[in-house]
C-alpha cells in the first residue's frame, strides 16, 4: 500500500514540475540566418524489376476466361453487284514431236526426201539424233546431148551429253553425190563420140566430228574433224583438223589462245588437162600449225579484240615451208545504243583449200586439180550496223582484201589427145587457177520484221578485182544481190519467196596443143550473162502434225548458165507432204 502511494506521488510531482517550468521560462524570438544555400540531392533510385521474383509461398494463378460472340442479324437494303473476273485468252503451248518426215516430187523427175528424229535420255542430259536428206533429179535438158541427172544423199548421226560444268558431243556423217560433166552443146561433137562418153562422176564422203565445251576451266573448248573424201576416178583425200581454245582471265581482261593443227593429204590418179599426156599422178601433202592469241577489252560501249595469227605451213610434197604472221584485230563501238554501231577490223589467215571444198562450190571440177593453200595477207573492213526502227535493221560494210594464190574456177582446155576413162576432157570440166588478187568490196543489207509473222530482207554486193596476171578474176561476178520474204498468213497458210541476181562473169575457152604451154593454147574469153532466179514456196498446215507444200524454182523459165556451158533446168515445180510424229 505504501509502495503504490509512493509511485503516484512521484508521477504527480513530475507532471506538476513540468507545468510550472513552462509557465515560468520565456525563450523569446530570434532571427536565424542561413549562410550556405540549399542544394538538395536526389539519391539513385532503385529500379524495380518489371517481373520481380515472388517468394511468396502462395502465388495467385490467372483464371482462364472463355467468351463467345452472340451475332444478331441486322437488316440491310444494300445489295452489292456481283463482279466477274476478266478472262485472259491463253495460247496453248505447241506440241513438240521428236520426229519429222517430208517427201516431195516434181517435174524433171525431181525428188526430195527429208527425215529427222531426236531422242532424249536421262532427263534431257543425253541427246541422240539421226537425219537423212536426199535431193535428186533425173530429167534431161534439150540444150545438151548428155545426161544431166544428179542426186545428193546424206546421212548423219550425232550424240550429245550435257553436264553441269561441261558438254560434249560426237557425230558421224556419210554422203554420196552424183553429177555429170554435161557441159557440151548440141551438135558440138559427132553422135558416135557423144555415145562413147562416160560423163558421170560420183563423190563419197565419210567424216567424224567431236567437240568439248567446259565451264570454270582454262580449257574453254575444242573441236576435232576426221574426213575421208574420194570419187569414182580413184582420187582420194584425207583431212585431220584439231582446234583447242584456252581462255585466261587476267584482272578485268580476257586472253584467248586458239590453237590449230590441220593436215591435208591426197592424190589424183590423173594428170592436169594442161598436159596432153596422162602420164603422172598429182600428190599433195599439206600441214599447218597455228597459234592465235588475242586480248579482249570491254569498256562500256567499246569492244576491242587485239590479237595476231601465227601460222607455220608445210608443203611436204614440194619441200616448201613458210612461216606467216597475220593481224587479228577487231573493234566495235556503240555510237547510239543499238541504233548505230560502228565496227571494223583487219584479219588474215592461211586458208587450207581441199578437193572436198572445191566440189562443194563447183561439182563440175575435174579430178586433176592442184591443191595449194591461200595466203590471205589481210582482210580489212569497216562498217555501220544497227536499227533504223525497232523492226528495221541494217548493215553497211566496205572491205579491202589482199590474197595470194586465190583459187579461181576456170574451164579446162579441150584436150582430145587424152583418153581418160571418164569424159571430162572435152572442155566440159573446170580446173583451179591460182592468182594473186586484191578485192575492193561494198556490202549493204536491210532486214524488216513487220511483225512476228512477216519478214523481208534485201542485200547487195559490189566488187572490183585487181589480179597479178592482169587476167579477169575468172568466174567472179562484180555484182550480186538477193531479196527474200517469209509470211505466215494465219495458223494454216504460209508463203515465202526469194529472188537473187548474179552479174556477168568471165571464163576462157581454150584448146590444148602438143608441145605448147597453157598460155600458148588458142583461147578466147567468153562473158557469161548476168541472170535473175526467182523461187517461191507455199504451204498449208492441216494440223500440228500434217502439212502440204509446193515449191517453184526458176519461175522465169530462164536457161541461164551458172558455169560456162552448164545450163540450168527451166521452170521447176515440186509438191510434197510433211508429217511430225513421236518415234
Amino acid at each position: 500500500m505504501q509502495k503504490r502511494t509512493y509511485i503516484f506521488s512521484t508521477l504527480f510531482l513530475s507532471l506538476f514540475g513540468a507545468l510550472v517550468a513552462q509557465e515560468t521560462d520565456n525563450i523569446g524570438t530570434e532571427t536565424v540566418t542561413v549562410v550556405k544555400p540549399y542544394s538538395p540531392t536526389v539519391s539513385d533510385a532503385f529500379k524495380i524489376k518489371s517481373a520481380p521474383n515472388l517468394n511468396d509461398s502462395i502465388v495467385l494463378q490467372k483464371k482462364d476466361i472463355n467468351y463467345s460472340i452472340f451475332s444478331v442479324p441486322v437488316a440491310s437494303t444494300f445489295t452489292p453487284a456481283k463482279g466477274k473476273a476478266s478472262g485472259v485468252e491463253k495460247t496453248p503451248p505447241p506440241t513438240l514431236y521428236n520426229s519429222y518426215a517430208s517427201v516431195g516430187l516434181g517435174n524433171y523427175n525431181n525428188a526430195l526426201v527429208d527425215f529427222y528424229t531426236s531422242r532424249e535420255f536421262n532427263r534431257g542430259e543425253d541427246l541422240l539424233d539421226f537425219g537423212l536428206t536426199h535431193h535428186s533429179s533425173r530429167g534431161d535438158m534439150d540444150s545438151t546431148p548428155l545426161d544431166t541427172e544428179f542426186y545428193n544423199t546424206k546421212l548423219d548421226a550425232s550424240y550429245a551429253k550435257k553436264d553441269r560444268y561441261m558438254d560434249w558431243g560426237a557425230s558421224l556423217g556419210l554422203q554420196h553425190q552424183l553429177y555429170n560433166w554435161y557441159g557440151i552443146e548440141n551438135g558440138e561433137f559427132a553422135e558416135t563420140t557423144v555415145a562413147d562418153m562416160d560423163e558421170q562422176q560420183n563423190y563419197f564422203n565419210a567424216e567424224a566430228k567431236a567437240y568439248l565445251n567446259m565451264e570454270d576451266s582454262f580449257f574453254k573448248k575444242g573441236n576435232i574433224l576426221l574426213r575421208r573424201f574420194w570419187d569414182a576416178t580413184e582420187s582420194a583425200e584425207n583431212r585431220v583438223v584439231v582446234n583447242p581454245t584456252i581462255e585466261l582471265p587476267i584482272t578485268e581482261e580476257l586472253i584467248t589462245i586458239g590453237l590449230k593443227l590441220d593436215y591435208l593429204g591426197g592424190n589424183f590418179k590423173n594428170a592436169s588437162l594442161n598436159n596432153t599426156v596422162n602420164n603422172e599422178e598429182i600428190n599433195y601433202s599439206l600441214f599447218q600449225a597455228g597459234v592465235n592469241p588475242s586480248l579482249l577489252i570491254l569498256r562500256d560501249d567499246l569492244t576491242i579484240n587485239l590479237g595476231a595469227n601465227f601460222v607455220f605451213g608445210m608443203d611436204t610434197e614440194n619441200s616448201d615451208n613458210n612461216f606467216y604472221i597475220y593481224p587479228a584485230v577487231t573493234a566495235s563501238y556503240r555510237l547510239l545504243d543499238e541504233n548505230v554501231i560502228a565496227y571494223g577490223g583487219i584479219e588474215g589467215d592461211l586458208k587450207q583449200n581441199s578437193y572436198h571444198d572445191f566440189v562443194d562450190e563447183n561439182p563440175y571440177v575435174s579430178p586433176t586439180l592442184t591443191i595449194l593453200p591461200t595466203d590471205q595477207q589481210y582482210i580489212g573492213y569497216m562498217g555501220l550496223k544497227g536499227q533504223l526502227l525497232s523492226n528495221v535493221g541494217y548493215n553497211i560494210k566496205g572491205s579491202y582484201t589482199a590474197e595470194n594464190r586465190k583459187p579461181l574456177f576456170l574451164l579446162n582446155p579441150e584436150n582430145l589427145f587424152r583418153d581418160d576413162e571418164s569424159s571430162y576432157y572435152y572442155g566440159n570440166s573446170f580446173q583451179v587457177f591460182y592468182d594473186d588478187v586484191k578485192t575492193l568490196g561494198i556490202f549493204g543489207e536491210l532486214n524488216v520484221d513487220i511483225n512476228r509473222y512477216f519478214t523481208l530482207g534485201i542485200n547487195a554486193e559490189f566488187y572490183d578485182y585487181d589480179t597479178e596476171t592482169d587476167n579477169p578474176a575468172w568466174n567472179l561476178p562484180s555484182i550480186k544481190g538477193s531479196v527474200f520474204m517469209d509470211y505466215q498468213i494465219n495458223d494454216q497458210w504460209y508463203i515465202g519467196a526469194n529472188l537473187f541476181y548474179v552479174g556477168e562473169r568471165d571464163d576462157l575457152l581454150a584448146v590444148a596443143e602438143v608441145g605448147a604451154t597453157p598460155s600458148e593454147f588458142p583461147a578466147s574469153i567468153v562473158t557469161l550473162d548476168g541472170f535473175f532466179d526467182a523461187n517461191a514456196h507455199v504451204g498449208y498446215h492441216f494440223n500440228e502434225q500434217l502439212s502440204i507444200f509446193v515449191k517453184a524454182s526458176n519461175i522465169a523459165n530462164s536457161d541461164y548458165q551458172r558455169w560456162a556451158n552448164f545450163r540450168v533446168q527451166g521452170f521447176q515445180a515440186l509438191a510434197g507432204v510433211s508429217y511430225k510424229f513421236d518415234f
Side-chain angles (χ1 to χ4, degrees):
M1 184 68 179
Q2 291 177 354
K3 185 177 181 179
R4 180 181 301 176
T5 302
Y6 174 75
I7 294 171
F8 279 109
S9 298
T10 303
L11 292 172
F12 178 78
L13 291 175
S14 298
L15 179 61
F16 181 76
L19 292 172
V20 173
Q22 183 177 5
E23 290 177 358
T24 58
D25 294 339
N26 185 9
I27 298 175
T29 61
E30 185 176 356
T31 302
V32 179
T33 302
V34 179
V35 178
K36 182 179 179 180
Y38 176 65
S39 300
T41 60
V42 179
S43 61
D44 292 336
F46 177 74
K47 185 177 181 180
I48 300 176
K49 294 182 179 180
S50 60
N53 294 326
L54 300 179
N55 296 324
D56 294 346
S57 60
I58 299 176
V59 178
L60 296 179
Q61 300 293 331
K62 294 181 180 181
K63 185 178 180 180
D64 294 336
I65 300 175
N66 296 323
Y67 62 90
S68 61
I69 298 174
F70 180 70
S71 300
V72 178
V74 177
S76 175
T77 58
F78 173 71
T79 304
K82 295 182 179 180
K84 184 178 180 181
S86 177
V88 178
E89 183 179 355
K90 296 182 179 179
T91 302
T95 304
L96 302 179
Y97 300 93
N98 64 8
S99 300
Y100 166 84
S102 177
V103 178
L105 297 173
N107 62 336
Y108 290 99
N109 291 321
N110 291 347
L112 179 66
V113 177
D114 193 2
F115 172 78
Y116 172 79
T117 184
S118 177
R119 303 298 298 271
E120 291 185 353
F121 304 93
N122 299 329
R123 297 181 179 180
E125 293 183 357
D126 300 283
L127 187 65
L128 184 62
D129 296 338
F130 291 95
L132 172 67
T133 59
H134 172 83
H135 184 205
S136 64
S137 175
R138 298 186 178 277
D140 292 328
M141 290 185 290
D142 297 335
S143 60
T144 176
L146 300 178
D147 292 335
T148 60
E149 64 180 355
F150 75 88
Y151 68 81
N152 186 349
T153 303
K154 189 174 184 180
L155 174 66
D156 292 303
S158 64
Y159 173 79
K161 183 175 180 61
K162 182 177 294 185
D163 293 330
R164 183 175 181 181
Y165 296 107
M166 72 174 185
D167 62 277
W168 63 274
S171 62
L172 295 173
L174 300 173
Q175 186 178 19
H176 177 208
Q177 302 175 77
L178 182 149
Y179 290 92
N180 288 277
W181 292 294
Y182 65 86
I184 295 175
E185 298 289 340
N186 287 323
E188 187 173 351
F189 295 96
E191 294 183 2
T192 56
T193 302
V194 172
D196 292 336
M197 291 184 182
D198 180 11
E199 69 275 16
Q200 191 176 97
Q201 170 67 303
N202 288 271
Y203 300 109
F204 306 91
N205 183 57
E207 64 182 32
K209 296 180 180 179
Y211 70 89
L212 172 65
N213 299 319
M214 300 188 68
E215 298 290 340
D216 300 329
S217 173
F218 72 94
F219 180 87
K220 193 63 177 178
K221 62 182 179 179
N223 300 279
I224 185 171
L225 166 68
L226 305 175
R227 176 185 291 145
R228 170 73 173 178
F229 183 75
W230 69 102
D231 64 19
T233 63
E234 301 183 41
S235 304
E237 178 181 82
N238 299 315
R239 189 172 188 182
V240 180
V241 182
V242 180
N243 291 117
T245 301
I246 299 172
E247 288 188 355
L248 302 174
I250 298 179
T251 62
E252 298 180 354
E253 317 301 343
L254 181 65
I255 293 180
T256 302
I257 301 176
L259 306 175
K260 177 179 70 171
L261 298 174
D262 191 341
Y263 168 77
L264 178 71
N267 74 306
F268 297 100
K269 293 293 183 181
N270 301 285
S272 170
L273 286 177
N274 291 320
N275 300 334
T276 55
V277 179
N278 188 10
N279 57 359
E280 60 181 5
E281 299 181 355
I282 300 175
N283 298 305
Y284 55 97
S285 179
L286 305 167
F287 176 75
Q288 295 181 14
V291 159
N292 175 216
S294 62
L295 174 64
L296 179 62
I297 301 175
L298 301 175
R299 294 291 185 275
D300 297 330
D301 295 329
L302 177 65
T303 301
I304 301 177
N305 198 334
L306 302 175
N309 191 9
F310 305 93
V311 182
F312 179 70
M314 300 175 58
D315 185 346
T316 58
E317 190 67 32
N318 298 311
S319 301
D320 185 17
N321 304 326
N322 289 285
F323 183 73
Y324 304 86
I325 301 177
Y326 300 102
V329 179
T330 61
S332 66
Y333 183 72
R334 298 178 184 272
L335 297 175
L336 295 173
D337 294 330
E338 298 294 332
N339 296 329
V340 181
I341 301 174
Y343 66 95
I346 179 169
E347 301 176 87
D349 197 6
L350 185 63
K351 181 182 177 182
Q352 189 82 287
N353 297 310
S354 67
Y355 185 31
H356 171 271
D357 295 341
F358 287 148
V359 169
D360 271 355
E361 189 173 355
N362 183 353
Y364 308 111
V365 293
S366 63
T368 60
L369 305 180
T370 301
I371 306 296
L372 295 173
T374 297
D375 176 19
Q376 295 178 330
Q377 293 181 309
Y378 57 86
I379 304 172
Y381 59 91
M382 60 185 303
L384 295 174
K385 63 181 179 180
Q387 292 181 312
L388 296 176
L389 300 172
S390 60
N391 59 346
V392 179
Y394 68 93
N395 186 11
I396 302 173
K397 181 177 71 173
S399 63
Y400 186 78
T401 305
E403 298 172 284
N404 294 333
R405 301 189 302 273
K406 181 178 178 65
L408 306 173
F409 292 109
L410 180 65
L411 268 176
N412 275 312
E414 182 182 307
N415 193 339
L416 301 182
F417 302 98
R418 296 281 287 266
D419 58 355
D420 301 14
E421 293 183 4
S422 297
S423 303
Y424 49 76
Y425 47 86
Y426 291 93
N428 57 337
S429 65
F430 292 84
Q431 61 178 304
V432 175
F433 179 84
Y434 293 93
D435 203 346
D436 297 344
V437 182
K438 292 180 174 60
T439 306
L440 177 64
I442 298 176
F443 171 80
E445 183 179 35
L446 192 67
N447 294 301
V448 182
D449 295 328
I450 296 179
N451 52 47
R452 58 181 296 186
Y453 303 107
F454 184 84
T455 60
L456 175 68
I458 181 172
N459 61 66
E461 301 173 71
F462 304 91
Y463 297 102
D464 181 69
Y465 306 99
D466 180 17
T467 63
E468 182 70 19
T469 59
D470 291 331
N471 292 319
W474 304 117
N475 277 296
L476 291 182
S478 297
I479 301 174
K480 293 197 305 184
S482 64
V483 179
F484 59 89
M485 179 271 292
D486 284 296
Y487 180 37
Q488 183 76 39
I489 301 175
N490 52 39
D491 292 340
Q492 285 77 39
W493 289 97
Y494 65 92
I495 61 174
N498 64 77
L499 170 69
F500 61 89
Y501 173 77
V502 177
E504 294 182 347
R505 292 92 61 219
D506 292 322
D507 209 324
L508 189 70
L509 300 178
V511 179
E513 290 187 346
V514 177
T517 62
S519 60
E520 298 173 341
F521 293 166
S524 61
I525 295 177
V526 58
T527 299
L528 306 179
D529 295 333
F531 62 88
F532 284 96
D533 196 334
N535 308 282
H537 65 271
V538 60
Y540 180 81
H541 297 292
F542 289 99
N543 49 49
E544 292 183 346
Q545 293 181 265
L546 183 62
S547 303
I548 58 173
F549 60 88
V550 176
K551 296 182 178 181
S553 302
N554 195 7
I555 297 176
N557 195 29
S558 174
D559 63 344
Y560 64 85
Q561 301 178 61
R562 175 63 184 88
W563 302 101
N565 297 337
F566 286 82
R567 300 185 181 277
V568 300
Q569 295 175 341
F571 173 76
Q572 304 157 51
L574 183 144
V577 58
S578 61
Y579 184 70
K580 300 177 184 178
F581 59 97
D582 283 324
F583 180 70

